[in-house]
Amino acid sequence: MKGHSHADTALESSAEGIRALWISLALLAATTALQAAVVAVSGSVALLGDTIHNAADALTAVPLGIAFLLGRRPPTRRYTYGYGRAEDVAGVLILLTITASAVAAAYTAIDRLAHPRPVTHLTAVALAALVGFAGNELVARYRIRIGRRIGSAALVADGLHARTDGFTSLAVLLGAGGAALGLPWADPVIGLLITLAILLVLTQAARQVWHRLMDAVDPALVDKAEQALRATPGVLGVGSVHLRWVGHRLRAECDVQIDPDHTLVQAHRITLEAEHGLLHALPRLTAALVHADPHPRDGIDHHAPLAGHR
């Protein structure tokens, strides 16, 4: 709409999301490298599981970053809605990455239970666990804050994933404490508990990705859209309201009822004002199609020709 920059804002949000991903990737990569060095000298399976999980979390920035870049491309005659759905594809890849990290951590822990091996350099293991917690918590806060600001559910979910990783890092401290007390089974058992934590994150992430793939939205957004439409001068009723996320951008398709005696120009003005109201009521909305229906009068069904197709 003239005088507004909703498209420019969408591009800026994509750039902000990409910047958040690369910064968090660098921080997690440094954390993972330090933990890997400690794993090499200590032989801690619990820390290995945490390191694998942190590495997987860092790598999720790659598909998300690619998705943000693709989402900035303009629509084409084949991809008429643009490439925002690439974020959903990235979400599926993230699920596969989390699954692979769970399998690797479980296999290593079970193998260590079957073939015990002493854990050394326990102080270094404990410090690496604390570093893992601090690194993940910083990344979590940053991703969640930026994700909520730009409306990216994928980025928020990835931030929550990082926060859970931080608590699994703290669990490594228990393994180190058990080893210090002469309990050789403590380290691999903590490794298995970390695997369970990874599976819990996988379940939560899968639910969010499923919602996006199925075009689920927060019902509160539908309520806001209906309120904005009803508040538009000239709108006598609100019909169907359809909202869907395309990446971190929201689209709407709505029906409103207006006076059947209005001219085409008047009807167009009302739908334009209705769209304007939607853009302000729903901050992440970048496109809306508002269809004008004549307000029912004298029992006339203005959609009768389509009755056999609906």
Side-chain angles (χ1 to χ4, degrees):
M1 300 208 34
K2 186 176 181 180
H4 293 268
S5 56
H6 298 282
D8 291 342
T9 300
L11 289 176
E12 291 170 3
S13 66
S14 293
E16 191 170 7
I18 292 172
R19 184 166 57 252
L21 285 172
W22 296 142
I23 292 175
S24 59
L25 171 61
L27 182 57
L28 283 177
T31 300
T32 301
L34 186 148
Q35 288 186 312
V38 176
V39 168
V41 298
S42 68
S44 171
V45 171
L47 185 59
L48 175 60
D50 190 45
T51 302
I52 292 173
H53 199 184
N54 285 334
D57 190 28
L59 291 176
T60 58
V62 176
L64 262 180
I66 294 174
F68 278 132
L69 289 174
L70 283 175
R72 300 174 69 176
R73 298 178 62 180
T76 66
R77 293 184 64 82
R78 180 178 295 277
Y79 296 97
T80 55
Y81 282 95
Y83 295 81
R85 285 289 191 181
E87 281 190 40
D88 298 331
V89 177
V92 174
L93 294 177
I94 289 172
L95 293 181
L96 294 176
T97 303
I98 298 173
T99 301
S101 67
V103 171
Y107 175 83
T108 305
I110 293 173
D111 180 69
R112 187 56 56 85
L113 278 173
H115 306 90
R117 173 184 165 188
V119 178
T120 61
H121 300 81
L122 295 179
T123 301
V125 171
L127 290 176
L130 290 175
V131 169
F133 170 75
N136 275 289
E137 181 60 21
L138 286 173
V139 167
R141 293 189 179 194
Y142 185 45
R143 286 180 176 177
I144 291 172
R145 178 168 57 85
I146 299 301
R148 287 175 177 168
R149 179 188 300 170
I150 69 175
S152 173
L155 190 55
V156 171
D158 216 23
L160 294 173
H161 177 200
R163 173 159 289 164
T164 304
D165 290 351
F167 288 113
T168 62
S169 294
L170 288 182
V172 175
L173 286 174
L174 297 178
L181 294 174
L183 304 175
W185 50 265
D187 186 68
V189 166
I190 292 299
L192 288 176
L193 291 178
I194 289 176
T195 301
L196 293 178
I198 296 174
L199 292 176
L200 179 61
V201 171
L202 176 63
T203 302
Q204 296 171 341
R207 185 181 297 113
Q208 293 186 3
V209 172
W210 170 258
H211 287 166
R212 279 301 174 93
L213 290 174
M214 295 300 294
D215 285 332
V217 297
D218 185 348
L221 292 177
V222 181
D223 294 337
K224 287 184 178 181
E226 290 176 340
Q227 292 170 5
L229 292 173
R230 291 194 181 97
T232 304
V235 172
L236 304 179
V238 177
S240 61
V241 174
H242 300 285
L243 301 177
R244 65 166 20 169
W245 287 100
V246 182
H248 54 275
R249 305 171 190 175
L250 198 62
R251 298 183 66 93
E253 297 175 5
C254 313
D255 294 331
V256 297
Q257 297 172 356
I258 63 173
D259 190 329
D261 294 331
H262 279 327
T263 65
L264 177 61
V265 173
Q266 290 173 315
H268 178 263
R269 177 183 54 79
I270 293 172
T271 58
L272 199 64
E273 291 179 357
E275 180 182 355
H276 192 185
L278 285 174
L279 288 169
H280 284 282
L282 306 176
R284 301 303 166 197
L285 186 70
T286 55
L289 176 62
V290 182
H291 172 72
D293 283 328
H295 190 63
R297 179 185 297 175
D298 301 326
I300 300 176
D301 183 2
H302 296 281
H303 293 109
L306 297 178
H309 299 277
R310 292 183 170 179

